[in-house]
Amino acid sequence: MPIYIYCVTKYDPSDRDEYGSYTGQENTVSDHGEVDGAYLQAVAAFAKDTGIDHLAVREPQVPSLAHFGVEPPVDGFGLDGLFPSGLAGFYDGAEVPLEIGLELVRAMLRDNGAWCRLEVEDAFAVHVGWDQYLYISSSRPCVEALARTRDLGLFAKRVDASPYRFEEEMEGIQRPGDDDFWACLHQAVAEGVAGVLEETYLEGATRWHHLTVDTIGTVRAELAPRARLEVWPPLFPDIDTVLGALPAEGLVEGVWQDASGRIHCAIADEGDFPQLTARMAQASAAALLSAYAGERVPLFTAVMPDTDGVLRARWRTEPTPNDRRWALHHHRR
């Protein structure tokens, strides 16, 4: 972890009251102009002082059910044009040149929707918090960058840690999506126990895959790096019975397969049930899942390791009973 940590802001420390609350005139939203540019120039200066020109995307996320930014959401979450493969290029571990990293910082400063940490292991890190508080960490003191930041009209304060720092979860069960996982999945599909794979490729974004014994290899090859996986039973062909199970109220996630074989999903409450029913009525198969934590239990889960077999993704799945049995058997080996 880089030991030199700075909070960089546009807020003059002299404009704070005795309790530390800001009392000045600076707005908490981006000006989309000179101040916006000053933040990016400051990040570039720290990167130069640290001697880095590429960054790794960590913990990328986009809004799912709601947008909590103070500015209106934009199409593409601020990522349009940044990745040749579009949203598919925004994944945990993606290496980007500094220029793209700066554009990601700009998108975060403007609350466009996309968020991530940008890091070089043990050397550099930058991320944006609420109200345009920017946190930069470096393995070097970055004296020239601090002077440049002051010249840009910004204020840098050394801190012990960012309040948004990543905190390692306690050691626990996390099944990797390795060959053993895929062999178990193949068996479950062959036995008719499993039939659908949910792939969370970004926090807030998922894809669903219909599984057969003949398509499992293709699905595996097309998954996003470090994706989080949840395995579900096959969808039901009796659509009337599925729709008849809609509750009187509450959140549910409808999952259905259309005539072309593509799987769709939508989260709805009782006010949206008529629209959800209309969308699912012509499906070839469907299911309803609870949208509440603790009630939504897949068959088993995994997180995809890197190509060398190492599990570097920071996010975790919630262990299922099957995962716990796997862990018990795995640690007995």
Side-chain angles (χ1 to χ4, degrees), residues 107-157:
M108 289 185 276
L109 288 170
R110 295 182 178 184
D111 279 323
N112 286 160
W115 190 90
C116 67
R117 304 177 198 275
L118 294 162
E119 301 179 0
V120 174
E121 189 173 4
D122 298 327
F124 187 83
V126 58
H127 56 265
V128 178
W130 288 107
D131 297 336
Q132 296 201 299
Y133 281 81
L134 180 72
Y135 293 89
I136 304 176
S137 306
S138 176
S139 57
R140 303 176 184 177
C142 298
V143 176
E144 293 184 11
L146 289 169
R148 176 61 174 153
T149 299
R150 288 190 294 269
D151 291 342
L152 290 165
L154 301 176
F155 303 91
K157 176 184 177 181

Side-chain angles (χ1 to χ4, degrees), residues 257-262 264:
Q257 186 174 14
D258 64 23
S260 69
R262 184 179 178 187
H264 308 264

